[in-house]
């Protein structure tokens, strides 16, 4: 079946602009995660959704970052007043939460470049 | 606080040689442990995972990893490396359905 998809694959924007990054999880997966991967680093957790609600948003770096998942499927990560330091690959993952573990399936990421 | 350490930033091995990538973690309890591989332009792919039970776990592509509680380690191994194994490898820890904490990765180069 189809995996996690993310659009766009690349996004170039100017400092101060607003951007939206989209994630389509695997059908039926109830949990959705956003991570940010800076150059030379491992992915860093941003936010986790269980259904429509954000179960853990402790990784969002500041209030310029916001994410929604209004219908419990597609999610959008929104970044206001972008800064050059926001340049990174933004990864989305989804999982079918069960009682014992979550295996997260990752999308290919969106590479964001802020000029 | 949780942390994952991958001490080797870059490893080069010859095709056919054995491989061991190191991972040490710091966590409040025994976490769930994972190894992911990331090829250029590709998403992270799960190689293997450890939750409980047998401390030697088998994964895809001929990889295995051993959990050693006394050393807080979860090293990844492969007996014979193939050129297609060249990629970035990430160790990660997590608890149940929560977020994952990743190490900084080890880049593997395979020479003919």
């Amino acid at each position: 079946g189809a995996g996690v998809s993310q659009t766009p694959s690349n996004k170039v924007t100017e400092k101060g602009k607003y951007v939206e990054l989209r994630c389509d999880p695997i059908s039926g997966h109830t949990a959705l995660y956003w991570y940010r991967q800076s150059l030379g680093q491992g992915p860093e957790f941003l936010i986790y959704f269980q259904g429509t609600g954000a179960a853990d948003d402790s990784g969002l770096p500041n209030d310029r970052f916001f994410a929604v998942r209004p219908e419990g499927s597609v999610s959008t990560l929104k970044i206001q007043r972008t800064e050059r330091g926001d340049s990174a690959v933004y990864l989305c993952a989804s999982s079918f939460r069960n009682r014992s573990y979550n295996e997260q399936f990752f999308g290919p990421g969106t590479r964001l470049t802020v000029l | 606080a949780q942390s994952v350490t991958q001490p080797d930033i870059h490893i080069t091995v010859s095709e056919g040689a054995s491989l061991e990538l190191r991972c040490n973690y710091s966590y409040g309890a025994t976490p769930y442990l994972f190894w992911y591989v990331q090829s250029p332009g590709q998403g992270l792919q799960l190689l293997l995972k450890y939750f409980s039970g047998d401390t030697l776990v088998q994964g895809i592509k001929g990889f295995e990893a051993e959990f050693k509680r006394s050393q807080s380690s979860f090293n990844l191994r492969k007996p014979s490396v193939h050129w297609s194994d060249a990629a970035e490898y990430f160790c990660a820890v997590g608890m149940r359905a929560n977020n994952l904490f990743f190490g900084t990765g080890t880049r593997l180069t395979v020479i003919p």
Side-chain angles (χ1 to χ4, degrees):
Chain A
V4 177
S5 63
Q6 293 185 246
T7 55
S9 56
N10 281 283
K11 176 69 177 178
V12 180
T13 191
E14 294 179 342
K15 180 175 178 294
K17 299 291 188 182
Y18 168 83
V19 296
E20 289 190 351
L21 311 179
R22 176 187 167 107
C23 172
D24 274 277
I26 293 172
S27 178
H29 279 191
T30 56
L32 185 146
Y33 306 78
W34 283 99
Y35 293 82
R36 178 170 68 176
Q37 186 175 18
S38 301
L39 192 63
Q41 300 296 314
E44 177 188 22
F45 169 75
L46 295 177
I47 187 170
Y48 152 54
F49 287 91
Q50 184 59 238
T52 60
D56 183 353
D57 64 358
S58 62
L60 295 178
N62 52 60
D63 61 6
R64 294 187 298 105
F65 288 75
F66 189 71
V68 295
R69 195 185 185 201
E71 298 179 357
S73 178
V74 171
S75 176
T76 304
L77 178 65
K78 308 180 180 192
I79 309 174
Q80 298 177 322
R81 305 183 303 281
T82 52
E83 300 177 356
R84 291 194 179 88
D86 298 335
S87 296
V89 176
Y90 289 81
L91 298 170
C92 176
S94 69
S95 71
F96 179 69
R97 182 175 181 176
N98 61 34
R99 292 184 179 183
S100 59
Y101 71 96
N102 76 323
E103 178 173 338
Q104 297 183 25
F105 295 84
F106 283 81
T110 293
R111 181 176 299 279
L112 175 65
T113 302
V114 183
L115 302 178
Chain B
Q2 307 91 332
S3 68
V4 178
T5 302
Q6 293 182 249
D8 303 305
I9 297 174
H10 183 206
I11 285 182
T12 299
V13 298
S14 299
E15 191 168 14
S18 64
L19 171 70
E20 182 170 30
L21 302 183
R22 296 182 290 167
C23 173
N24 292 92
Y25 68 90
S26 174
Y27 213 80
T30 300
Y32 296 159
L33 297 159
F34 307 82
W35 275 99
Y36 282 86
V37 61
Q38 187 177 42
S39 299
Q42 303 295 314
L44 288 158
Q45 182 182 20
L46 181 66
L47 285 176
L48 47 77
K49 57 187 179 288
Y50 172 79
F51 299 136
S52 64
D54 192 345
T55 56
L56 184 64
V57 293
Q58 302 298 320
I60 62 170
K61 304 184 179 186
F63 286 92
E64 67 177 26
E66 186 172 13
F67 168 59
K68 292 186 178 180
R69 185 189 305 275
S70 61
Q71 299 176 20
S72 297
S73 69
F74 188 56
N75 294 348
L76 182 71
R77 301 195 293 252
K78 186 169 185 178
S80 178
V81 170
H82 188 263
W83 64 267
S84 61
D85 293 325
E88 188 92 19
Y89 290 80
F90 292 95
C91 179
V93 302
M95 288 298 291
R96 285 202 174 184
N98 293 340
N99 53 288
L100 297 176
F101 291 90
F102 285 84
T104 53
T106 297
R107 182 161 60 94
L108 174 65
T109 298
V110 180
I111 56 177

